[in-house]
Amino acid sequence: MRPGPEIWTAEVVYLGFGTPMLRGGLAVVGDHVAMTGELEELQRAYPGVPVVHKGKALTPPVANAHTHLDLSRLPYFKGPYVGFIRHVLANGAERGVEAARQGLEELRALGAGAFGDIVARDAVMDWLLGHSDLPGVAYREVIGPDPSKAQDVFAALKPQLLAWKKREGRVKVGLSPHATHTVSAPLFRLLVEFAALEGLPVQIHVAESPEESRYVRRAEGGFVEFMRQMKLPVWPPPGVSPVQYLADLGLLGPGVTLVHAVQVDEADVRVIAQAGCRVVSCPRSNRGLECGEFPWALYLKHGVEVALGTDSRGSSPDLDVRNEALHLWGKVDPRVLVRSATRGGYRVLGLQTPRITRGSALSQVQSW
């Protein structure tokens, strides 16, 4: 037990609901929260009690809304995005259950409250459904750029998804058609329609890098060379932005979360908002892979829910989503960042946001 009452405060205090407070705090008695509110209100209720400054933020446990746990054993890479794809392929032997176990252990040690994971291998999906004690969503990744093989890919995957859905517990099953340049239009439609019918959440990587935009608009740039080297078909480009391309296919809706969405303009963000999609930003990965800066002001202007993720250890130095927010501290309103790291992440994952209220255990309060 603590020796006496204290008032905890930070630059931002967020209770998991309402508006994050710039002059807020928690009255702490023993190992529990006794009162929450504005700092002056707490000082009136607890006169003479010491005020302890706990750093940048006090929040419920954060949610890492986007990662690739099976890449946790990859060496950290910085450089152009197409180079990162080559890096992942070159280190394929490091992927699998042991890497996912390592990543999940890191999330647990960091105190994450929930996670969203892109799962590339069946064995990892089986393991997460059977062993994860953290709640989250495991999105089965699908890659299939050849339109002639769309039906075959979907037919092979469908029974597996239905079987995994029956095993849901703390971890739910989702779908991740990988990206605009790695999934054909027919396969995209089959997957997203199936997800809607079965109630599966969807995450799609989109508008991550300038190279993706060049490829989708004009079939130019590094992706063309990469696709040819991999002996994959290079499409006739749709000639629109990656976001507009997904919209034109009829894929956007409230059950679809878009990941990264850096290379967008206001028209794209308006489309995302009107469709009811949410977005996950991974700022440090985007910086390291030369993808550009996420346009926070545009998303806030149009009322799009934004969560935070780390992406993988292959493109991020750790899986601590708080460091994504701190990376932007002073550049973006810290109240926005704190909400994105907590409530935004839980909402993306379809989970209830933990709340700090009278009686909450201090073990459920994170200081940044």
Side-chain angles (χ1 to χ4, degrees), residues 13-323:
V13 176
Y14 184 48
L15 306 178
F17 60 98
T19 302
M21 296 178 284
L22 292 177
R23 287 190 55 79
L26 313 173
V28 173
V29 177
D31 293 323
H32 292 82
V33 175
M35 183 177 176
T36 66
E38 299 291 336
L39 186 57
E40 291 79 4
E41 179 186 5
L42 296 175
Q43 289 178 305
R44 287 194 297 269
Y46 289 85
V49 168
V51 175
V52 180
H53 291 267
K54 303 295 284 188
K56 296 291 187 183
L58 288 168
T59 68
V62 295
N64 189 337
H66 179 77
T67 189
H68 299 253
L69 295 179
D70 79 336
L71 297 179
S72 294
R73 298 174 67 174
L74 261 65
Y76 177 44
F77 177 92
K78 292 183 73 174
Y81 177 75
V82 176
F84 176 68
I85 297 175
R86 300 183 192 279
H87 175 69
V88 171
L89 293 175
N91 288 276
E94 297 296 326
R95 306 183 75 170
V97 171
E98 288 306 312
R101 187 196 312 273
Q102 180 176 317
L104 189 64
E105 288 175 356
E106 180 177 353
L107 288 176
R108 188 184 299 113
L110 291 168
F115 69 99
D117 187 45
I118 305 300
V119 179
R121 301 188 178 183
D122 294 349
V124 173
M125 179 69 83
D126 287 330
W127 185 82
L128 285 173
L129 290 173
H131 293 86
S132 176
D133 56 350
L134 285 181
V137 180
Y139 300 89
R140 183 57 168 91
E141 184 176 69
V142 184
I143 293 176
D146 188 341
S148 69
K149 298 179 180 178
Q151 286 289 348
D152 292 338
V153 172
F154 177 68
L157 183 64
K158 179 179 176 179
Q160 291 179 308
L161 289 166
L162 293 173
W164 284 325
K165 194 170 189 300
K166 291 178 181 178
R167 296 177 53 199
E168 287 184 333
R170 295 183 69 78
V171 174
K172 307 298 182 185
V173 176
L175 254 178
S176 180
H178 176 253
T180 54
H181 52 285
T182 57
V183 179
S184 70
L187 184 55
F188 250 132
R189 290 194 180 99
L190 288 168
L191 293 171
V192 174
E193 288 173 5
F194 176 75
L197 287 172
E198 295 295 332
L200 300 177
V202 173
Q203 281 198 3
I204 302 173
H205 302 77
V206 66
E208 181 173 0
S209 69
E211 289 296 335
E212 179 189 343
S213 292
R214 291 180 67 194
Y215 184 69
V216 176
R217 289 181 183 275
R218 297 181 296 275
E220 295 176 351
F223 275 128
V224 174
E225 178 186 359
F226 175 78
M227 298 289 276
R228 287 174 176 160
Q229 287 178 348
M230 298 299 293
K231 298 182 179 179
L232 296 171
V234 176
W235 63 0
V240 295
S241 72
V243 168
Q244 188 61 52
Y245 171 63
L246 296 182
D248 290 346
L249 291 178
L251 304 180
L252 302 185
V256 175
T257 296
L258 305 179
V259 183
H260 300 299
V262 174
Q263 295 293 322
V264 295
D265 59 18
E266 185 155 14
D268 291 325
V269 175
R270 188 179 295 112
V271 166
I272 292 169
Q274 291 173 347
C277 294
R278 297 185 173 108
V279 171
V280 183
S281 177
C282 304
R284 292 182 297 164
S285 176
N286 293 153
R287 175 70 61 85
L289 300 185
E290 303 175 9
C291 292
E293 295 290 333
F294 185 81
W296 286 89
L298 272 182
Y299 284 105
L300 291 172
K301 175 182 177 180
H302 290 279
V304 176
E305 180 93 61
V306 178
L308 288 173
T310 58
D311 218 295
S312 75
R313 285 299 298 266
S315 64
S316 188
D318 56 59
L319 299 182
D320 193 344
V321 80
R322 293 170 294 188
N323 287 335

